Amino acid sequence: MAWILLVLAAMLEIVWATALERSDGFTRLWPAVIGVATAALSLVILTFVLRSLPMGTAYAVWVGLGALGVAVAGIVALGESAAPARLLCLALILVGVIGLRILDG
């Protein structure tokens, strides 16, 4: 259950980062509200995950999946670079997350 919650918290990272980007520096109300609210919810879920998983593993997976998701969202939705070297680095993040999951058992 902790791993499912951890993935959910990471998915919320994607939402809040995207919403804050859309808030135009907090000048647009609803994207800003969504961003702050989902950031808080993501953090709350992470605190529950930390009851069951080691801090280093949970935080690395939370940040890694969140960063990976935000980068993919940027490529797909915003036309950011999909250069092979960038995609390779993103794949390495995913490999690291998978490795942490396997090692945690």
Side-chain angles (χ1 to χ4, degrees):
M1 182 66 163
W3 280 95
I4 293 169
L5 288 174
L6 185 55
V7 170
L8 174 63
M11 290 170 52
L12 289 172
E13 283 223 8
I14 300 164
V15 174
W16 72 254
T18 304
L20 290 182
E21 188 274 331
R22 303 265 183 201
S23 77
D24 252 356
F26 290 103
T27 60
R28 296 181 59 218
L29 177 64
W30 290 112
V33 168
I34 291 167
V36 171
T38 54
L41 182 57
S42 179
L43 191 58
V44 167
I45 293 171
L46 178 64
T47 62
F48 288 111
V49 169
L50 291 173
R51 293 179 177 176
S52 302
L53 295 177
M55 179 183 59
T57 298
Y59 186 74
V61 170
W62 183 62
V63 170
L65 288 179
L68 179 62
V70 170
V72 169
I75 291 168
V76 172
L78 302 175
E80 294 179 3
S81 170
R86 185 171 189 211
L87 295 176
L88 174 64
C89 291
L90 293 172
L92 290 172
I93 293 171
L94 183 58
V95 168
V97 167
I98 292 168
L100 288 170
R101 172 62 178 112
I102 290 169
L103 292 174
D104 186 62

